[in-house]
Amino acid sequence: MMSITYPHFGSLTYLFEIFLNELGRYDIVKPKNPSRKTAIIGSRHSPEFICTPFKIVLGTFMESIEAGAYELVMGGFQAHCRFGYYWPVLKMILEDLGYDFRFIILDQTNPVEFLRVLKNDVSDNLKLFQILKTLRIVWNKFCCIELVDKLLSRYRAVEFDKGSSELVAEKAFKLIVEEKGIRNIKDLKKKLPGLFEKEVSKDTKVNPLKVAIIGEIYVVLEPSLNLEIHKRLNELGVIVDTPVSLRNYVDFEGIFNPFKKSHKQITLRKAKHYLEHSCGGDAQASIGDTILYKEKDWDGMVHLYPFTCMPEIISKSILPQISKEHNMPVISLTIDEQTGEAGFQTRLEAFVDLLERKKESNCK
Amino acid sequence: MVVKLTMKVGIPRALLFYKFFPMWTTFFRELGVKVIVSPNTTKQIKTESVKHAPDEDCYSTKLYFGHVMAIKDEVDYLFIPRFGSSHKTNVSCPKFIGLAEVLQSMFPDLPPIIMPFYSTAKSGHGKRRLIYLIFSIGFKFTKNPFRIIKAARRAYKEQKVHYENLILDEKTLHKWEQTEYLLNNFLSPEEGERPIKIALVGHSYVLNDDFASLNIQQILKEHGVDYITSEQLPRSLVEKQMDKLDYNLYFDYEREILGTIMHFIERKSIDGIIHLIIFSCGPDSITGEMAARYAQRDPSVPLLQLTFDELTSETGLETRIEAFLDLSRRRKK
Ligand code: SF4
Ligand code: SF4
């Protein structure tokens, strides 16, 4: 049996599973939630000063291969940063460790190749039109998953019964995974906000702070790496949002509706004045979003980036200027597998304190 | 009497300067501009670098900050190109693109920065863009378009000559590999014995910055080593090696580095390879790992990887090099 696996990537992990199922693959080794141990074995075999996501992906693949996986699927495209090298380096390392496996690389920047790989290497003998159909389903489910994440990061901050929003989110994810048919999925998406509204009882007294998280996509979206920052902020009573999304890399809506301005285009326009050209990764977006959220009247930004991440060191160096010129508090935190919880928590609390004081003095 | 003021343009002696200095300096000089290049890296420049640059940045980028600080007060403009790539599909390190704007943002008091953006891979830039850039910079300093064209021609020629002098042709390389030809002709090898041959591999701005590389070229010379640098390897041979990979090494300058290492691992024509790695360099974290693993899979040519940062000590380095040269010498016999 040639079992297939993929990296762990926050709630998008659900999406990858859905995707494979839609393509007729049920022989899946689901990646485990990355643990301390995953990070340790990953970094033991990783290059010196490689960026942190690499170590987690390596550790995850090692665990999955040991659990019986043979085909490893991951993205890989050429940008200004290292992401496109992940698979060749991973391949060499895993080979040298003596594992038996095969890589399947999906490059969404090259649609023809992307579809070819899906059809020939991943899917269970599907026809091209069937694959296109699954893409539509997967995209819509992706929108649902993203919405649940958003709702969770909002409701958890104001929930009355601790843990109730997470229960709803879990239920929602399950519904999304199981739902069939494009109509039903679209309907489900409309129902999701109501689900949270109905089932989470809110603490109505509070007037919560609102903070957006920006930065490198993997560290922002993978809770096991970012020490569950969304939850931590929520528990401090802060509503959290993140503009960081897979959308910034694959934009289906943009393909079907070229007149709609994507979020990415809007942020890039805002960032232009400070960082005119793409430096890879999410650097320009981090800058543009800070300005955008200020305009939407949010209270502050948390900028996360993995240790040695190239694009985000650039944005981190420019963000202080943005923060000053737009009067928007920003805290930049670098994260790697050794980031300690205690220090991290203290810094978040101090930041939230600062925002609270700022808000109070503004109200007066 | 009117005193004619010449404009001064400052260029930091760091990063891509080491690749493109003939072109850049000639261009401005021919426009009648006084070009001020920061001095060779010194301890003081390093101290300034560490003080001003972001902590997590790679050592080479940090040094750039020090070089900017060294000349900022005496120039009217700084010249910091935003260089994306000059290859159809391959790119360069993103830091080259972001650097100018990072400096401007962190130090608003710097003199105005001339920051032409050029990127073939991502923006499809070519000759037209180049002409546009040449004129838009040129007109800052002269009204005479012919002068600009002439300056650009000269600059281009200087760069070409520089490459021609630097890069070996395949025949010369072959002769060197056969020990029929010495690259460092100051040597006086003992009768009948050939000097050991080493490839010194790394970014131009490390290889040629004696302070950053802790004088490694000098150390090798003193030990009677006949070395070749990755800059000298014919591009055709680099590309030949790159074609063998099952992935595309899309950082253009890393191709030179990994290509040189792979070439010599395959040919086994030398006694050792020394690979200079920059601490916290993104691209090096990739090529460093690849090189180490290729060398491990085919260990006939020993590989020494040295990591450089602001704390690397000269004595430690020398000991490691000596031990390595001993090993290479023993293998040679
Ligand atoms: S964006 Fe940063 S962390 Fe992500 S792959 Fe690129 S360099 Fe690594
Ligand atoms: S290639 Fe490496 S050393 Fe050069 S600027 Fe980029 S990160 Fe720094």
Side-chain angles (χ1 to χ4, degrees):
Chain A
M1 184 79 149
M2 308 250 255
S3 295
I4 196 162
T5 193
Y6 40 86
H8 196 277
F9 195 169
S11 1
L12 293 178
T13 319
Y14 290 110
L15 185 77
F16 300 156
E17 186 188 342
I18 292 168
F19 201 175
L20 288 173
N21 287 344
E22 290 291 335
L23 290 171
R25 297 293 298 259
Y26 293 91
D27 50 338
I28 297 175
V29 175
K30 289 192 205 175
K32 279 195 288 183
N33 225 334
S35 61
R36 263 250 123 41
K37 208 179 119 236
T38 316
I40 291 172
I41 58 168
S43 45
R44 185 181 307 145
H45 300 286
S46 290
E48 219 189 332
F49 44 80
I50 188 79
C51 38
T52 321
F54 182 94
K55 303 177 183 173
I56 308 290
V57 174
L58 175 59
T60 306
F61 275 154
M62 286 170 71
E63 287 174 346
S64 299
I65 294 176
E66 264 155 37
Y70 175 74
E71 290 176 322
L72 317 177
V73 195
M74 73 176 290
F77 59 93
Q78 177 170 332
H80 275 298
C81 93
R82 279 174 277 187
F83 181 67
Y85 292 117
Y86 271 28
W87 74 266
V89 183
L90 287 166
K91 182 164 170 252
M92 276 199 99
I93 296 175
L94 292 170
E95 275 170 9
D96 285 348
L97 287 169
Y99 288 117
D100 191 23
F101 64 92
R102 184 167 93 93
F103 258 111
I104 298 174
I105 301 306
L106 293 171
D107 176 357
Q108 86 286 5
T109 58
N110 180 349
V112 177
E113 181 65 11
F114 183 79
L115 289 175
R116 195 192 62 78
V117 174
L118 279 185
K119 182 171 176 301
N120 298 345
D121 296 338
V122 184
S123 83
D124 189 19
N125 286 321
L126 293 194
K127 301 264 180 336
L128 192 60
F129 79 90
Q130 290 172 302
I131 293 195
L132 291 171
K133 219 169 102 196
T134 63
L135 284 177
R136 214 163 135 228
I137 290 181
V138 170
W139 177 258
N140 280 286
K141 288 201 171 186
F142 162 67
C143 296
C144 292
I145 289 176
E146 210 169 56
L147 182 60
V148 173
D149 268 342
K150 259 193 195 332
L151 291 167
L152 174 62
S153 299
R154 190 184 311 159
Y155 279 86
R156 192 166 44 192
V158 291
E159 67 191 5
F160 204 75
D161 300 314
K162 209 163 171 275
S164 52
S165 336
E166 275 174 25
L167 284 180
V168 180
E170 247 163 65
K171 199 161 111 189
F173 283 135
K174 201 152 170 268
L175 286 175
I176 296 169
V177 172
E178 282 162 9
E179 194 62 86
K180 297 235 160 17
I182 200 93
R183 276 253 70 78
N184 297 338
I185 300 169
K186 286 190 169 165
D187 282 346
L188 176 64
K189 186 171 172 223
K190 290 196 199 104
K191 277 189 247 149
L192 289 170
L195 198 68
F196 274 86
E197 190 58 36
K198 201 174 88 215
E199 298 197 11
V200 182
S201 55
K202 282 187 293 183
D203 192 343
T204 43
K205 291 186 298 282
V206 288
N207 173 20
L209 286 170
K210 292 187 292 185
V211 167
I213 302 180
I214 45 172
E216 194 269 346
I217 186 165
Y218 192 82
V219 76
V220 172
L221 298 183
E222 177 55 62
S224 67
L225 182 55
N226 63 34
L227 305 166
E228 301 193 84
I229 185 167
H230 302 255
K231 188 171 176 179
R232 277 172 199 270
L233 286 169
N234 285 160
E235 281 170 357
L236 294 172
V238 178
I239 286 184
V240 176
D241 189 27
T242 180
V244 178
S245 159
L246 214 53
R247 274 169 209 272
N248 299 340
Y249 293 88
V250 222
D251 187 14
F252 254 13
E253 274 153 24
I255 298 173
F256 294 122
N257 183 1
F259 299 109
K260 190 175 163 242
K261 275 244 166 338
S262 72
H263 176 81
K264 187 176 172 187
Q265 285 165 313
I266 297 169
T267 50
L268 291 197
R269 247 221 328 272
K270 302 244 175 252
K272 249 195 154 99
H273 177 61
Y274 303 92
L275 186 62
E276 199 181 343
H277 303 289
S278 168
C279 299
D282 312 280
Q284 278 178 303
S286 296
I287 291 171
D289 279 320
T290 306
I291 303 171
L292 205 65
Y293 275 86
K294 176 67 193 184
E295 286 169 1
K296 291 201 256 174
D297 216 18
W298 281 56
D299 298 295
M301 310 296 283
V302 177
H303 175 225
L304 293 184
Y305 63 100
F307 187 57
T308 79
C309 172
M310 302 190 288
E312 294 303 327
I313 294 179
I314 295 172
S315 52
K316 182 222 149 183
S317 309
I318 297 179
L319 279 171
Q321 181 196 2
I322 316 283
S323 167
K324 205 156 86 198
E325 284 180 12
H326 295 264
N327 185 23
M328 181 64 152
V330 181
I331 181 175
S332 276
L333 300 170
T334 156
I335 294 204
D336 71 2
E337 73 282 4
Q338 286 162 12
T339 306
E341 285 190 26
F344 192 69
Q345 181 71 16
T346 322
R347 297 198 62 186
L348 288 183
E349 282 170 14
F351 185 64
V352 171
D353 268 355
L354 178 133
L355 297 184
E356 250 153 24
R357 263 179 282 130
K358 186 160 179 271
K359 193 166 188 173
E360 271 164 30
S361 68
N362 281 354
C363 291
K364 269 174 208 158
Chain B
M1 210 183 91
V2 189
V3 185
K4 195 166 165 271
L5 283 177
T6 11
M7 286 290 208
K8 286 186 239 159
V9 169
I11 312 183
R13 189 188 295 272
L15 295 183
L16 290 182
F17 175 83
Y18 284 101
K19 274 224 176 294
F20 296 121
F21 66 91
M23 183 162 90
W24 294 353
T25 52
T26 313
F27 180 61
F28 285 110
R29 231 171 255 143
E30 291 289 319
L31 288 175
V33 175
K34 183 149 193 240
V35 179
I36 302 210
V37 178
S38 59
N40 284 328
T41 313
T42 57
K43 188 142 181 242
Q44 198 199 342
I45 288 182
K46 180 177 93 174
T47 317
E48 286 288 299
S49 308
V50 176
K51 198 164 94 199
H52 288 102
D55 289 346
E56 307 101 318
D57 240 329
C58 64
Y59 182 40
S60 298
T61 302
K62 282 187 186 169
L63 287 178
Y64 201 94
F65 281 67
H67 282 273
V68 169
M69 296 303 151
I71 49 171
K72 69 173 174 40
D73 295 329
E74 35 175 323
V75 299
D76 303 300
Y77 288 100
L78 283 165
F79 180 63
I80 309 179
R82 290 176 291 180
F83 181 72
S85 87
S86 58
H87 184 275
K88 224 166 50 261
T89 49
N90 297 331
V91 298
S92 302
C93 177
K95 302 220 170 140
F96 302 146
I97 304 175
L99 196 53
E101 283 154 306
V102 165
L103 279 157
Q104 195 176 45
S105 168
M106 289 177 71
F107 309 101
D109 298 333
L110 289 180
I113 302 177
I114 302 175
M115 43 168 111
F117 175 63
Y118 188 79
S119 167
T120 308
K122 296 277 164 183
S123 309
H125 290 161
K127 227 177 179 163
R128 280 208 359 235
R129 174 74 180 183
L130 213 54
I131 293 169
Y132 165 77
L133 292 177
I134 286 166
F135 278 107
S136 63
I137 298 172
F139 280 131
K140 282 188 203 300
F141 303 101
T142 173
K143 292 202 176 65
N144 179 354
F146 298 106
R147 187 162 189 189
I148 300 177
I149 293 175
K150 207 173 120 215
R153 284 235 170 90
R154 281 262 164 85
Y156 179 76
K157 203 174 131 222
E158 286 295 318
Q159 187 68 28
K160 215 172 129 207
V161 171
H162 168 68
Y163 280 143
E164 278 166 9
N165 292 337
L166 182 67
I167 302 175
L168 301 176
D169 55 56
E170 287 191 33
K171 231 165 82 199
T172 318
L173 177 78
H174 193 67
K175 272 201 197 145
W176 179 73
E177 290 182 298
Q178 302 288 323
T179 328
E180 290 162 9
Y181 177 82
L182 293 182
L183 280 171
N184 301 275
N185 46 17
F186 57 91
L187 293 166
S188 50
E190 289 158 36
E191 276 305 303
E193 198 179 338
R194 71 162 176 87
I196 53 172
K197 282 183 292 189
I198 296 276
L200 186 61
V201 182
H203 296 272
S204 324
Y205 40 87
V206 195
L207 288 174
N208 300 306
D209 183 336
D210 287 338
F211 185 90
S213 67
L214 299 170
N215 261 322
I216 192 155
Q217 298 212 15
Q218 198 52 42
I219 298 178
L220 291 180
K221 280 180 195 159
E222 278 163 16
H223 285 83
V225 175
D226 198 23
Y227 63 88
I228 187 174
T229 68
S230 44
E231 284 188 307
Q232 292 176 286
L233 209 77
R235 283 303 292 208
S236 52
L237 293 182
V238 168
E239 289 308 316
K240 214 183 262 169
Q241 290 298 327
M242 291 296 104
D243 288 344
K244 292 185 187 152
L245 301 175
D246 60 352
Y247 55 93
N248 179 32
L249 193 74
Y250 55 75
F251 283 141
D252 213 16
Y253 297 138
E254 301 292 327
R255 297 172 83 81
E256 205 171 282
I257 294 176
L258 192 62
T260 306
I261 295 177
M262 288 173 61
H263 171 84
F264 287 116
I265 287 180
E266 183 188 286
R267 292 271 270 263
K268 310 186 184 7
S269 51
I270 57 174
D271 307 303
I273 303 169
I274 299 182
H275 183 188
L276 310 182
I277 293 176
I278 292 296
F279 185 73
S280 188
C281 165
D284 276 355
S285 67
I286 304 289
T287 17
E289 185 71 16
M290 291 306 205
R293 289 183 184 270
Y294 289 129
Q296 211 178 4
R297 288 177 181 192
D298 183 356
S300 43
V301 183
L303 170 75
L304 173 67
Q305 293 187 312
L306 299 167
T307 307
F308 289 84
D309 70 359
E310 59 265 33
L311 302 172
T312 314
S313 93
E314 204 157 342
T315 37
L317 183 87
E318 237 186 301
T319 335
R320 288 194 64 190
I321 294 178
E322 273 163 19
F324 180 72
L325 293 179
D326 277 348
L327 173 86
S328 313
R329 245 182 228 115
R330 256 180 283 130
R331 287 209 167 206
K332 187 186 117 197
K333 276 170 193 155

